[in-house]
DNA sequence: ATTTAACCGAGACGGTACGTCTTGTCTTATA
DNA sequence: TATAAGACAAGACGTACCGTCTCGGTTAAAT
């Protein structure tokens, strides 16, 4: 990619970066203030101080805005620094994941999007394409692979790693406690060695 | 509770069982035909050939109707007959669960409700109260407990059992294949023995 | 007519006469306050304290509302009491007509409708069907007919009677003065005797 | 004013005559194709292949464009060559006027403008200032004045002459037939001799 | 057998978000 | 400086659904 070079100067007024930022921030604010269901395109435009047409020009649905607003944050919040032994490595990741899904604005946005994906196939495709959890999970699994010869192929390894944490977050909207997460990490290593 | 005994025959016209059935069936039909998002209280009433007030009199939201429409089916579809050895017992359950979540109308309804629960705390509470998955999971776990001394306490055991299958269904809307499910069952037994 | 007998009681909540009156009065007010061009369906609904759907349910355009609001008034304001001699009869009518077109709210509404009719054939048809000026003109002409054997057939007689007054109102938005109106009446009688 | 002499060559790019012509022609076309109400500044710019700002730079409203587009045509189409006797002179003029108002693009534009003038005082002032009908009417009246000692002062004479034709065109959007026009001419001469 | 009360359908009510359209202004690169 | 292109904030458009209300009519238990 080399957008700055390829970008030929198009005719007409260029897109306002200020308006783009205002919309993304408005979505973040509204998700926290009123929740996903009560968030409307009209409300987003008003909160952002932006015309409604400007929102519709660049995003078709609130899900599209939300996914753009949270992907970067997700990647950053789930990048845990490597530990020396596999158990601590897994535990650090599972802790970050559990906190992300239950406390972080980006994680709450992810849950909302995954919820909307159950209602709307278009949102499902967006979420699968963006896939905010998989990269970080894959990195952890790659790190522990030398110590886990029984590690299954995808998608099972990732599902076994994040599935229990994600499901609990979706059903209970609460984090699993640290002892439980450690127990889960140990169980995975037992199964995978 | 003992509704059938306490229920003193009130004055006035009794509730129409016919209207109740029509609404529940309309919800099932509409979920398949147009999806959860496009399903409206107005549409449900029209499809059921019922006044809108009649719907609102008995259910506050479409989620309430949907949960009433699917809970019984869920319990039935996830009740697998016991197998003699733990691996086959787990595999039978995981297969039923995976099919339920991706193919069964009741399972699709459950996913829709779990999705809505991410947007609306009231729906979350409804889903947690009804809890269509946990009883069947608990029964399987109880059966294999003698052979799995390392079985963790709740909620981890259930989360490890159903989490990977549920997460995959929610993200991909596709079942895990049989080989993967068997691999998962074997992994669980390895971790839990 | 016998609406009260013919009117079969339809199912459902009956139309609210209160809402109907509120809309018609809001239109009258707004025409005076902001003018026809700045009058919007949204504004009418808000001024009337009525839902927008309620307006659209009964009227397709603001022109339809306006015509319903002014037809009755027009008929009443243009009914002048007969005079004994033709000249005074004509003069009384021309004076009423000139004042109606330039001062009366109903007359201003009529001018607005006739203006809109130049832009929209549907409005033209509405105005022609309602035809607020013709009945009163016809009554005056019928009264003076015995004294005016040279009275032309329709539509010329009416056009000669009201055309000069109407045209002046449309172009100048001012009434013709009394002397001019008398001169016009005398001219008509000279031509028609 | 003497634009052609005083106009010192201003700095910068001069106004594009091509763009001006394109706009005026687009307005004529659109009035016929879609009508006055559906004609928008945006649509005019697009039909003319011209930037929207260019339209707004030179005209404030579509009425201003329309009046510039039609005044000259009106003057030309209503200039009938003198006849020897007053009746034929009047009839020729009335026939031209009736056709102009109901068939000519410039006449349809005039009716649209007179319609808009009922909604917008600014347009009324524009129309009165341009006054496309009065000059031609005055010329005819001046020609027949020697034969009509009873010709009233303005504005009655003009109103009596054109009012019936104009009113009928505005209300019915159809021309008066030749016999009726002749009857009107005769009536005027009877009243005015 | 009548009364009574809650049910039923239909559909209008005030309200509000939808996604589209046009308004008049502005900000680009180009001529 | 004028131009074509096109993004901008604002706000009306007509439609859909929300949850409530008000009708006429039905049904079955209680009088």
């Amino acid at each position: 990619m080399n957008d700055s070079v390829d970008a030929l100067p198009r005719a007409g007024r260029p897109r306002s970066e200020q308006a783009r930022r205002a919309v993304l921030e408005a979505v973040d604010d509204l998700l926290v203030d009123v929740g996903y269901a009560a968030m409307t395109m009209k409300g987003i435009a008003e909160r952002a101080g932006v015309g409604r047409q400007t929102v519709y020009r660049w995003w078709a649905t609130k899900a599209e805005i939300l996914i753009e607003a949270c992907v970067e944050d997700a990647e950053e919040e789930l990048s845990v620094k490597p530990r020396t032994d596999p158990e601590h490595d897994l535990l650090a990741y599972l802790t970050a994941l559990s906190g992300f899904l239950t406390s972080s604005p980006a994680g709450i946005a992810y849950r909302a999007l995954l919820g909307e994906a159950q209602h709307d196939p278009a949102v499902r495709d967006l979420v699968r394409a963006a896939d905010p959890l998989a990269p970080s999970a894959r990195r952890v699994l790659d790190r522990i692979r030398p110590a886990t010869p029984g590690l299954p192929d995808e998608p099972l390894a990732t599902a076994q790693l994040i599935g229990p944490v994600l499901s609990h977050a979706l059903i209970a909207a609460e984090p699993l406690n640290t002892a439980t997460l450690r127990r889960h990490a140990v169980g995975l290593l037992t199964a995978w060695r």
Side-chain angles (χ1 to χ4, degrees), chain A:
Chain A
M1 301 274 182
N2 197 334
D3 291 355
S4 55
V5 167
D6 291 350
L8 37 147
R10 305 259 292 94
R13 183 175 178 174
R15 178 174 183 182
S16 162
E17 178 62 18
Q18 181 183 328
R20 180 178 161 272
R21 293 302 323 166
V23 169
L24 295 179
E25 281 162 26
V27 164
D28 269 347
D29 294 351
L30 285 170
L31 184 65
V32 172
D33 286 6
V34 305
Y36 183 85
M39 198 168 73
T40 67
M41 293 294 261
K42 184 171 186 284
I44 293 165
E46 284 170 1
R47 169 79 79 125
V50 143
R52 296 170 63 188
Q53 186 72 81
T54 299
V55 180
Y56 282 107
R57 181 153 34 229
W58 302 110
W59 299 276
T61 63
K62 58 181 177 177
E64 283 190 18
I65 312 177
L66 201 54
I67 212 162
E68 179 168 340
C70 88
V71 169
E72 303 137 16
D73 293 344
E75 184 57 23
E76 184 184 8
E77 294 180 35
L78 292 174
S79 288
V80 296
K81 71 168 200 286
R83 302 305 208 278
T84 48
D85 80 297
E87 185 185 325
H88 286 102
D89 221 4
L90 283 182
L91 180 58
Y93 177 68
L94 291 171
T95 304
L97 177 63
S98 188
F100 171 78
L101 289 171
T102 54
S103 308
S104 157
I108 293 168
Y110 175 71
R111 282 203 285 114
L113 286 165
L114 198 52
E116 189 67 9
Q118 309 311 310
H119 305 152
D120 183 346
V123 176
R124 177 187 310 286
D125 292 343
L126 282 176
V127 173
R128 295 189 69 180
D131 207 357
L133 265 42
S136 57
R138 207 174 339 262
R139 275 199 303 278
V140 175
L141 294 174
D142 286 344
R143 282 207 298 271
I144 67 166
R145 194 180 308 275
T148 53
L151 191 69
D153 293 337
E154 292 300 334
L156 181 57
T158 298
Q160 288 182 321
L161 175 64
I162 69 171
V165 177
L166 178 57
S167 298
H168 193 262
L170 291 171
I171 295 172
E174 290 167 3
L176 289 168
N177 65 42
T178 303
T180 303
L181 291 175
R182 175 171 295 116
R183 196 102 163 71
H184 180 42
V186 170
L188 289 173
L189 289 173
T190 304
W192 291 348
R193 282 217 218 257

